[in-house]
Amino acid sequence: MSARAVTLFLAVCSCYAHKYNDLNVESEFVTEPSKYGSLWPLPQKVQISQTSFKLASLSFTITDAKESSAGPSCILLQNAYRRYYEYMFGGTRRQEPSKSRGTRAPDLPELQVLVTSPHSECDGYPAVASDESYELTVDQPYAVLKAPKVWGALRGLETFSQLVYEDEYGAKSINKTSISDFPRFAHRGILLDSSRHFLPLKVILVTLETMAMNKFNVFHWHIVDDQSFPYLSRTFPQLSQQGAYHPYTHVYTPGDVKMVIEFARLRGIRVIPEFDTPGHTQSWGKGQKDLLTPCYAGASPSGTHGPVNPILNTTYDFMRQFFKEISSVFPDAYVHLGGDEVDFTCWKSNPDIKSFMAQHGFGQDYSKLESFYIQRLLDIVTTTNKGYMIWQEVFDNGVKLKPDTIIHVWKGNQQQYQSEMANVTSAGYQTLLSTPWYVNRIAYGQDWRGFYKADPQDFKGTDQQKKLVIGGEACLWGEYVDATNLSPRLWPRASAVAERLWSPKEVTDVNDAYNRLSAHRCRMVQRGIPAEPLFSSFCPHEYKGI
């Protein structure tokens, strides 16, 4: 890409910035175009030359290399080829490249995709240990994308599509480029909450599509909570029949869940469901008798209910059957079991609970009762051959955990979560960070910069401890989010988290990130995603989804 083309591309993609007061702090962004164009997240190693090639929509193809272990029978890649061709050429008429003034640059006829491993994993599901590395060479006679597995090929296709730009004459072009890339962290997630507000299936699928554009690879589906139970269980259909906002229009059927899992798989994204107990379970109790604890006002029941009742054998019979179903429906090796924010008030009021506490020598420490419940639940989930993720409270309360347990850190300020990360890793557990990445919390101005500057390995610990940090998640909780505002609230603010979790630790230049992210945001808009602007700007292809 010529310097002029880079300047034009980034300018029209919203790189005008001015002095402004952001929370009473005057800021100014440097508007020099990035030498990396609009790549997001930034690859590990990238070299972009001034030499450019034209791409013709009628003649350019994405195809399998002859030696590739994932050939035409690999539906995952064939679908991806069509998807990325549409991204690159869908907004233009299918015609030969325009005749530009001056010497016409040579054409680049195709991108050959080579999956090198004998086991491409084309028909499998992505996992925490999946290989997402790839190498991309853009040069004549054709471009080559080489990856050990299909997951790396998917990431490389996204990168290739980001290198394509319109030159000053409107022709599709790409520069001679060499990229060697892999993610810094294996777990790069987005949490969506579909309980507080029901999220239509289409909204979830659009989010998965946008996650792939940002190289996220985990969809953490916080599918149920106090407010509603939209998951339609085959074993316990009364849970959604009684607990969903509406038993027919506001539920996820088995077919819906299967569609989400497959749509995600085709984009290299894992689906990890969260069924949070013993708190956050008011909607569960509407369809499952005696699951929740009766609360008391003095000596009489108040008519209200608290967390899951941990002293009844029927509770564990139910959980055993329910999680057996969950383990068969969701193919990922992990399930998120929650375990956070348990309110002990109701337990303290219940005479049967108090008697149970005395019998087991728990005294007045109700965190021991919580641990008693969690321990039995973990034993149940272990029998399903699933690993589990839990919120940090479970670890903090001293529950006995399997060595492969993943601790999800979400509480506190920077100093507190850094201390928690140090404590969890010093105990030998793998961990994820979400505390600084609650994207449902909004502030006037460019709060993406705070997300961008947070690093999950920024705590006092040994190198071995730092290796136990497997990544993080941007969380979009649903109190004030539904289909009307999910995408603009999530993107491009979550994109900042995507680069932090993918790119080298040393990539911290906020000015360069602003220029690339502005262009990346315009690209998402062009692809039909209503991503909100970073600042005063314009895109050459404004959002037309109204």
Side-chain angles (χ1 to χ4, degrees):
M1 190 184 301
S2 67
R4 178 184 175 189
V6 170
T7 303
L8 178 67
F9 177 73
L10 292 177
V12 299
C13 283
S14 77
C15 289
Y16 296 115
H18 307 279
K19 288 184 179 180
Y20 70 102
N21 282 328
D22 178 12
L23 301 180
N24 299 319
V25 178
E26 189 170 284
S27 303
E28 183 175 12
F29 278 102
V30 178
T31 58
E32 288 296 320
S34 171
K35 65 179 180 179
Y36 301 114
S38 63
L39 288 175
W40 195 277
L42 191 66
Q44 299 287 331
K45 296 180 181 178
V46 55
Q47 291 183 324
I48 302 177
S49 164
Q50 295 292 315
T51 304
S52 66
F53 309 112
K54 294 291 184 290
L55 305 179
S57 62
L58 278 180
S59 59
F60 182 81
T61 59
I62 306 175
T63 186
D64 302 298
K66 291 181 180 180
E67 320 90 271
S68 178
S69 62
S73 62
C74 180
I75 301 301
L76 181 147
L77 284 184
Q78 299 306 314
N79 284 349
Y81 298 164
R82 289 190 290 270
R83 188 164 66 250
Y84 280 101
Y85 181 92
E86 184 67 21
Y87 282 161
M88 292 183 286
F89 298 107
T92 60
R93 289 182 296 169
R94 298 177 66 87
Q95 59 183 21
E96 293 296 339
S98 61
K99 294 181 180 180
S100 57
R101 295 193 295 268
T103 304
R104 182 176 179 275
D107 289 338
L108 191 73
E110 67 181 8
L111 168 64
Q112 291 193 5
V113 179
L114 172 61
V115 179
T116 59
S117 172
H119 304 289
S120 68
E121 299 183 5
C122 183
D123 296 322
Y125 290 94
V128 69
S130 290
D131 190 340
E132 298 176 277
S133 65
Y134 67 92
E135 294 180 358
L136 177 62
T137 303
V138 179
D139 200 358
Q140 288 192 310
Y142 47 78
V144 177
L145 169 59
K146 182 165 40 174
K149 305 288 185 179
V150 293
W151 319 117
L154 290 174
R155 306 301 173 230
L157 285 167
E158 175 60 38
T159 299
F160 183 86
S161 74
Q162 294 184 5
L163 290 168
V164 177
Y165 63 97
E166 290 185 5
D167 69 11
E168 50 264 59
Y169 306 109
K172 296 287 184 178
S173 303
I174 192 169
N175 281 45
K176 180 179 178 180
T177 304
S178 175
I179 290 175
S180 178
D181 201 13
F182 56 88
R184 179 183 171 200
F185 293 104
H187 186 120
R188 308 177 309 281
I190 294 288
L191 178 150
L192 292 188
D193 170 10
S194 61
S195 171
R196 290 173 175 88
H197 284 98
F198 180 79
L199 301 177
L201 184 62
K202 180 180 178 181
V203 173
I204 293 176
L205 299 183
V206 168
T207 301
L208 291 168
E209 189 77 40
T210 319
M211 286 172 62
M213 297 176 194
N214 290 271
K215 296 188 173 73
F216 281 105
N217 69 345
V218 176
F219 172 38
H220 176 168
W221 194 354
H222 187 87
I223 193 167
V224 301
D225 208 293
D226 279 328
Q227 291 76 10
S228 71
F229 197 104
Y231 172 76
L232 202 166
S233 167
R234 291 185 184 273
T235 311
F236 300 100
Q238 71 275 15
L239 289 171
S240 61
Q241 189 72 26
Q242 301 296 323
Y245 285 129
H246 190 282
Y248 304 116
T249 61
H250 285 57
V251 296
Y252 302 108
T253 67
D256 293 336
V257 173
K258 186 176 182 180
M259 180 182 292
V260 168
I261 293 169
E262 180 61 10
F263 192 93
R265 186 189 78 85
L266 292 174
R267 288 152 182 79
I269 297 171
R270 302 162 59 199
V271 178
I272 298 179
E274 180 183 354
F275 291 92
D276 186 5
T277 65
H280 295 283
T281 48
Q282 289 298 301
S283 65
W284 299 52
K286 295 177 181 179
Q288 186 64 22
K289 184 180 178 182
D290 297 329
L291 180 64
L292 303 185
T293 304
C295 304
Y296 277 68
S300 303
S302 65
T304 61
H305 293 81
V308 165
N309 193 330
I311 70 173
L312 299 180
N313 289 332
T314 53
T315 293
Y316 302 102
D317 292 338
F318 165 81
M319 292 297 175
R320 190 173 295 107
Q321 295 180 67
F322 182 76
F323 280 101
K324 180 180 180 181
E325 174 187 326
I326 296 306
S327 68
S328 65
V329 170
F330 292 91
D332 198 82
Y334 282 85
V335 60
H336 203 301
L337 299 177
D340 67 322
E341 296 183 320
V342 181
D343 186 347
F344 298 148
T345 305
C346 184
W347 281 353
K348 291 178 179 179
S349 75
N350 185 291
D352 295 329
I353 297 285
K354 288 190 283 188
S355 176
F356 184 89
M357 292 278 290
Q359 292 171 13
H360 286 75
F362 293 164
Q364 298 298 312
D365 188 354
Y366 283 84
S367 65
K368 291 182 178 178
L369 180 61
E370 178 188 4
S371 296
F372 173 86
Y373 166 80
I374 292 289
Q375 189 63 65
R376 291 197 63 177
L377 178 64
L378 298 185
D379 292 341
I380 287 170
V381 174
T382 299
T383 65
T384 69
N385 295 317
K386 290 285 190 186
Y388 44 77
M389 300 167 56
I390 43 88
W391 296 111
Q392 68 181 75
E393 286 96 322
V394 178
F395 168 80
D396 294 341
N397 290 340
V399 175
K400 184 179 179 181
L401 301 170
K402 292 193 303 180
D404 64 345
T405 301
I406 297 174
I407 314 298
H408 199 162
V409 175
W410 71 279
K411 298 176 69 175
N413 57 30
Q414 182 178 9
Q415 183 178 1
Q416 289 168 331
Y417 78 68
Q418 288 174 336
S419 176
E420 184 76 8
M421 297 287 282
N423 291 339
V424 171
T425 54
S426 66
Y429 292 109
Q430 292 181 318
T431 185
L432 295 169
L433 180 64
S434 281
T435 308
W437 295 323
Y438 269 41
V439 292
N440 52 288
R441 297 172 180 162
I442 57 175
Y444 189 80
Q446 303 201 44
D447 57 353
W448 69 271
R449 293 177 295 177
F451 303 151
Y452 191 75
K453 293 176 181 178
D455 193 295
Q457 290 182 331
D458 184 16
F459 62 89
K460 294 180 180 178
T462 65
D463 289 342
Q464 193 61 37
Q465 284 179 255
K466 303 293 179 72
K467 291 178 182 178
L468 290 171
V469 180
I470 63 171
E473 292 182 357
C475 299
L476 187 66
W477 296 99
E479 288 88 347
Y480 304 99
V481 176
D482 67 3
T484 65
N485 65 342
L486 186 148
S487 287
R489 184 160 295 191
L490 188 57
W491 311 109
R493 295 159 73 241
S495 302
V497 183
E499 179 151 297
R500 183 55 50 234
L501 294 176
W502 180 283
S503 304
K505 184 177 184 179
E506 296 73 27
V507 176
T508 56
D509 187 334
V510 177
N511 284 330
D512 184 74
Y514 175 82
N515 292 332
R516 288 184 294 108
L517 185 55
S518 295
H520 180 56
R521 177 258 168 177
C522 283
R523 178 167 47 236
M524 289 191 282
V525 168
Q526 184 176 4
R527 293 179 181 182
I529 308 303
E532 71 178 19
L534 295 181
F535 189 55
S536 301
S537 60
F538 79 98
C539 295
H541 304 276
E542 295 289 354
Y543 182 65
K544 298 181 176 66
I546 300 174

